[in-house]
Amino acid sequence: MMNKNYNILEIYNDYTDLQQEKLIELKQLIMNVANNLGDITIQENLKWKQLSFSSKNGTPIRIDRFSESQIGLFVHCQTTLVEEWRELFGNSLDFSKNRVILLSVNSELPIEELTICIQMALTYHKK
């Protein structure tokens, strides 16, 4: 269940069309994963001028541009998530430090890997 629906085109209105398109795809994937988790409520907010998704039992996920050619799926740097994701998907996903999955605006989103990562973030405190 979502409590607010922010418009990426308004939040990120100075981003390129490709950046906006990928952020819209990523937002939709996050919402789909949350819906498929069942009894979970997602809070959609703006934090640090970035679109943020959080759940009661998870750690917030933020999405934003990372560079001209990349967007990012950000999580709190004090979680172990990026470390865990590196172990699982080090050969197929790119990361920056301990807080972000880097996604090219010129490539298809890696849906299978991202689905697992999003599930892990939205249920992080249920471990």
Side-chain angles (χ1 to χ4, degrees):
M1 181 172 90
M2 294 300 233
N3 68 338
K4 179 91 174 139
N5 191 12
Y6 288 91
N7 185 334
I8 284 176
L9 300 178
E10 292 173 10
I11 298 167
Y12 302 121
N13 61 1
D14 62 338
Y15 288 14
T16 67
D17 290 346
L18 266 178
Q19 291 167 340
Q20 289 179 353
E21 183 181 306
K22 286 298 171 187
L23 287 164
I24 289 168
E25 283 181 50
L26 189 53
K27 175 184 174 177
Q28 189 60 53
L29 179 61
I30 292 167
M31 292 190 304
N32 289 344
V33 170
N35 286 335
N36 290 336
L37 284 173
D39 188 26
I40 189 169
T41 299
I42 296 296
Q43 302 286 325
E44 187 178 341
N45 297 296
L46 289 178
K47 290 188 181 177
W48 303 289
K49 298 181 182 178
Q50 296 175 321
L51 194 52
S52 174
F53 306 88
S54 56
S55 66
K56 182 179 174 186
N57 292 315
T59 192
I61 297 169
R62 289 175 291 113
I63 62 173
D64 198 357
R65 167 176 61 194
F66 187 82
S67 68
E68 286 306 309
S69 63
Q70 294 172 312
I71 62 166
L73 184 145
F74 297 80
V75 292
H76 194 286
C77 62
Q78 293 179 340
T79 68
T80 59
L81 285 169
V82 172
E83 182 181 320
E84 293 172 38
W85 297 340
R86 267 195 182 98
E87 288 178 26
L88 291 170
F89 305 118
N91 294 329
S92 56
L93 294 178
D94 292 324
F95 303 93
S96 177
K97 301 184 182 176
N98 60 344
R99 65 179 316 127
V100 63
I101 297 173
L102 301 175
L103 303 160
S104 171
V105 296
N106 299 306
S107 302
E108 294 292 317
L109 290 179
I111 301 297
E112 288 181 32
E113 293 93 334
L114 286 175
T115 296
I116 292 167
C117 295
I118 293 164
Q119 288 171 340
M120 290 172 71
L122 293 177
T123 59
Y124 183 71
H125 296 294
K126 271 189 156 178
K127 289 193 212 184

